[in-house]
Amino acid sequence: MADKGFYNVTGGGGILKTQWSLIAALVIALLTAVFAVINVNSVQVNLLFSRVSIPLILLILGCTLLGGLIVGSFGIFRQYRLQREIKRLTNQLHTLQEEHTTAVEAYANVSDDTTGTLSTSDPGIEQPSSNPDRLSK
């Protein structure tokens, strides 16, 4: 199999997809930071059991950070699951390759035993021909 380098074999896309994802994440982070800096007023937040007054910038940045952690944890979990699946399929592939090699060797041994009765080194024995005209004579 050809070496794929940095390319993601399971999902495709490779380096270019990673670069665009990074650029998009940086743009979103910049927009969020600008939005948060514009909104510095204090707001009342109801936490079900009490009310607190915090600056809106902290609320925006905190919620963005929490959302990033949640999305990142799902991504890490998905990557772990895919790596485990790749390992399982690789083990299955190696097992099937070993079984195939064993079956081919066994077939080769059987076919050598059954067809090895005629020898081409003996000039007194005429070898069968696949030419249909020769069979009719």
Side-chain angles (χ1 to χ4, degrees), residues 91-107:
N91 289 338
Q92 184 180 2
L93 175 66
H94 288 304
T95 303
L96 290 173
Q97 284 175 338
E98 288 172 3
E99 289 175 3
H100 176 71
T101 303
T102 305
V104 167
E105 288 173 354
Y107 179 75

Side-chain angles (χ1 to χ4, degrees), residues 4-57:
K4 296 282 186 181
F6 289 107
Y7 289 96
N8 183 358
V9 176
T10 58
I15 294 174
L16 191 59
K17 182 179 178 183
T18 304
Q19 288 175 345
W20 280 111
S21 297
L22 183 62
I23 290 170
L26 288 175
V27 168
I28 290 171
L30 181 65
L31 290 174
T32 303
V34 168
F35 182 73
V37 169
I38 292 171
N39 294 295
V40 291
N41 298 335
S42 241
V43 293
Q44 291 286 326
V45 178
N46 186 358
L47 300 174
L48 293 178
F49 53 88
S50 70
R51 296 187 109 174
V52 292
S53 178
I54 58 172
L56 188 56
I57 186 171

Side-chain angles (χ1 to χ4, degrees), residues 58-73:
L58 292 179
L59 183 64
I60 292 170
L61 293 177
C63 288
T64 303
L65 179 64
L66 186 62
L69 289 173
I70 291 170
V71 169
S73 64

Side-chain angles (χ1 to χ4, degrees), residues 79-96:
Q79 185 71 24
Y80 170 74
R81 217 177 47 198
L82 288 173
Q83 289 295 331
R84 199 172 62 191
E85 180 75 6
I86 288 170
K87 185 176 180 180
R88 183 186 68 80
L89 290 173
T90 302
N91 289 338
Q92 184 180 2
L93 175 66
H94 288 304
T95 303
L96 290 173

Side-chain angles (χ1 to χ4, degrees), residues 113-126:
D113 291 343
T114 59
T115 60
T117 56
L118 294 177
S119 172
T120 56
S121 62
D122 189 2
I125 300 176
E126 185 177 339

